[in-house]
Amino acid sequence: MARTFLAVLLPVHGTPSTERGHSPYNVRSTSGVHTMRYRKFGRTGWNVSEIGYGMWGLAGWTGSDDAESLDALQRAVDLGCNFFDTAWAYGDGRSEQILGKVLRDNAGKKLYVATKIPPKNRQWPSRRDFTLDDCFPPDYIEEYVNESLANLGVEKLDLIQFHTWEDRWLNDERLPRAVEKVRTAGKAQAVGVSVNRWEPCNGIRAVLEGVADAVQVIYNIFDQNPEDALFPICRMKNVAIIARVPFDEGTLTGTLTVDSKWPKGDWRNTYFVQENLKNSVARAEALRPLVPAGNSMAQMALRFILNNPDVSTIIPGMRKRRNVEANIAVSDQGPLPAPLHKQLRAHRWDRNPTSWSQ
Ligand SMILES: NC(=O)c1ccc[n+]([C@@H]2O[C@H](COP(=O)([O-])OP(=O)(O)OC[C@H]3O[C@@H](n4cnc5c(N)ncnc54)[C@H](OP(=O)(O)O)[C@@H]3O)[C@@H](O)[C@H]2O)c1
């Protein structure tokens, strides 16, 4: 894997089709090792790499190193990744600034930028009693779109997302108006909602009422419940789906143990409380015999998501070159064979928000 790859992307294989799944435009990276496939991003018409890039860890988790992150990001670009998910909240603009450098270093390429407005009260997840004024008053929406534009050094965002969400906020007509203002001012082409953990239905109204062009939701071997209602409605409205947290924050990489601990201040200490860690590790261990030859558990987890044609892009969190290479290689391998996919469906784990789930 140490060899140098060219960065050129060669268009266009196949002919256009109306299928929602794999894009007809299979742009290939020239590595000769990896082929990145592209999918339609809902009604925007964008062709996005089916493996995108989650940028929380590199400016929000302990153990990040900017040089290592920039190397990993450039590697992803070189291998055909063109969709990057960041947020103001990832290091108070730091992750956005890092992405801005990547954009400038790759000025000749179209890289899609998705970022997020943090809730004004800085509370994750949202709670039912939070109001629009607590989280996203209209002036504040505009202010943070401008902040993100400045951090990224661009004039227009491809996708601006709400970093927490309550469908109930749509009862307040100021919200759709504020969203429309962002669009018509040309500050963002598309608008999305990032739905709270384990609440995939709390976003359906945003899809149905045309506020969201994209929905970002946790979807992985365990969290299959977005398939029940959210995905069919997104399909019906041609709204893009961003599958986030594909490894359940690390469990589905198969590298956690019941003794796993993170440095002081790392949020995972508060998510993987004993109860969660114990159950998560047991469930990951149950998957181990199913990992196909030549794959890691992480790769199996990504391929499982690729089986779903409703998903536009998956955004694994990555900070290391070796993880970028392993994850992007999955696009070439494609979805899992149907019998294995069926077996994994039985590992669905329905969960409800709790005091520690965040
Ligand atoms: N509310 C929201 O909107 C929200 C919430 C959570 C996440 N997100 C987005 O979704 C993205 C993904 O979620 P996440 O980063 O929280 O969790 P994740 O993708 O489920 O897991 C990330 C972890 O997996 C590791 N990893 C990646 N590839 C691997 C591989 N091939 N083998 C072994 N380990 C591997 C990463 O290591 P390294 O980092 O060391 O490479 C990191 O520790 C975020 O980065 C963010 O963009 C959004």
Side-chain angles (χ1 to χ4, degrees):
M1 286 297 189
R3 57 180 139 153
T4 311
F5 296 97
L6 294 173
V8 184
L9 298 177
L10 302 172
V12 165
H13 297 261
T15 49
S17 94
T18 52
E19 229 176 284
R20 186 182 156 84
H22 286 275
S23 160
Y25 306 103
N26 278 341
V27 185
R28 286 167 188 273
S29 88
T30 51
S31 68
V33 178
H34 304 272
T35 298
M36 181 69 92
R37 291 190 170 77
Y38 296 77
R39 296 185 179 200
K40 280 264 180 291
F41 196 77
R43 58 189 174 226
T44 64
W46 308 340
N47 279 316
V48 298
S49 52
E50 52 186 18
I51 306 298
Y53 204 114
M55 296 186 64
W56 180 17
L58 58 87
W61 298 16
T62 58
S64 296
D65 173 83
D66 281 0
E68 185 178 53
S69 299
L70 280 165
D71 174 66
L73 281 156
Q74 187 58 50
R75 185 67 173 149
V77 174
D78 292 346
L79 294 177
C81 178
N82 72 355
F83 187 88
F84 296 83
D85 179 72
T86 182
W88 182 92
Y90 303 161
D92 294 356
R94 182 80 193 113
S95 174
E96 291 180 326
Q97 287 161 4
I98 291 173
L99 182 54
K101 173 161 171 41
V102 175
L103 298 178
R104 288 188 292 281
D105 289 350
N106 295 276
K109 291 184 188 147
K110 177 58 199 167
L111 303 179
Y112 291 96
V113 173
T115 191
K116 309 186 195 83
I117 309 167
K120 188 176 180 191
N121 64 1
R122 302 291 191 265
Q123 297 289 312
W124 282 267
S126 157
R127 285 203 326 251
R128 294 309 85 85
D129 56 325
F130 291 168
T131 66
L132 187 65
D133 284 309
D134 291 333
C135 299
F136 297 106
D139 288 352
Y140 171 88
I141 292 174
E142 205 171 333
E143 180 189 339
Y144 270 79
V145 167
N146 290 337
E147 287 257 343
S148 290
L149 288 169
N151 284 329
L152 285 151
V154 297
E155 288 181 358
K156 186 172 188 170
L157 305 167
D158 294 298
L159 178 67
I160 186 72
Q161 304 162 99
F162 290 88
H163 207 154
T164 59
W165 187 252
E166 293 294 334
D167 264 344
R168 192 179 31 77
W169 291 334
L170 289 167
N171 292 340
D172 187 330
E173 62 181 22
R174 291 177 301 156
L175 180 55
R177 257 195 266 130
V179 165
E180 213 33 54
K181 192 168 169 201
V182 171
R183 284 201 189 98
T184 52
K187 293 190 173 177
Q189 185 176 339
V191 176
V193 299
S194 186
V195 301
N196 310 322
R197 192 184 298 270
W198 303 335
E199 294 179 27
C201 289
N202 189 1
I204 286 176
R205 218 179 127 189
V207 174
L208 285 173
E209 295 185 17
V211 169
D213 302 301
V215 168
Q216 182 175 141
V217 63
I218 297 184
Y219 180 58
N220 57 46
I221 293 172
F222 295 154
D223 298 299
Q224 297 177 34
N225 53 357
E227 291 176 7
D228 300 346
L230 180 64
F231 285 4
I233 290 170
C234 287
R235 196 185 313 137
M236 186 174 85
K237 301 296 279 187
N238 201 12
V239 160
I241 293 167
I242 302 167
R244 81 168 189 254
V245 192
F247 307 130
D248 186 40
E249 312 291 9
T251 318
L252 288 167
T253 65
T255 57
L256 303 193
T257 73
V258 288
D259 299 317
S260 289
K261 283 195 177 49
W262 291 267
K264 194 163 176 278
D266 192 301
W267 79 280
R268 286 169 290 184
N269 289 315
T270 58
Y271 174 69
F272 287 115
V273 295
Q274 202 48 32
E275 172 197 353
N276 190 26
L277 187 59
K278 193 165 116 281
N279 292 336
S280 301
V281 168
R283 283 175 183 265
E285 288 308 314
L287 297 174
R288 217 174 275 288
L290 299 176
V291 178
N295 274 181
S296 63
M297 190 186 293
Q299 289 176 310
M300 178 176 77
L302 293 177
R303 292 180 71 192
F304 174 85
I305 301 171
L306 288 181
N307 279 75
N308 193 322
D310 287 334
V311 171
S312 312
T313 185
I314 312 172
I315 49 165
M318 314 186 270
R319 293 178 291 182
K320 298 182 179 69
R321 172 180 274 246
R322 68 162 187 275
N323 287 343
V324 166
E325 289 174 344
N327 296 343
I328 288 179
V330 159
S331 180
D332 208 2
Q333 296 169 11
L336 294 170
L340 175 54
H341 181 249
K342 191 171 171 208
Q343 276 180 293
L344 290 172
R345 289 185 65 78
H347 289 260
R348 171 171 170 154
W349 182 12
D350 286 341
R351 297 178 267 188
N352 292 314
T354 69
S355 55
W356 46 260
S357 58
Q358 311 184 37

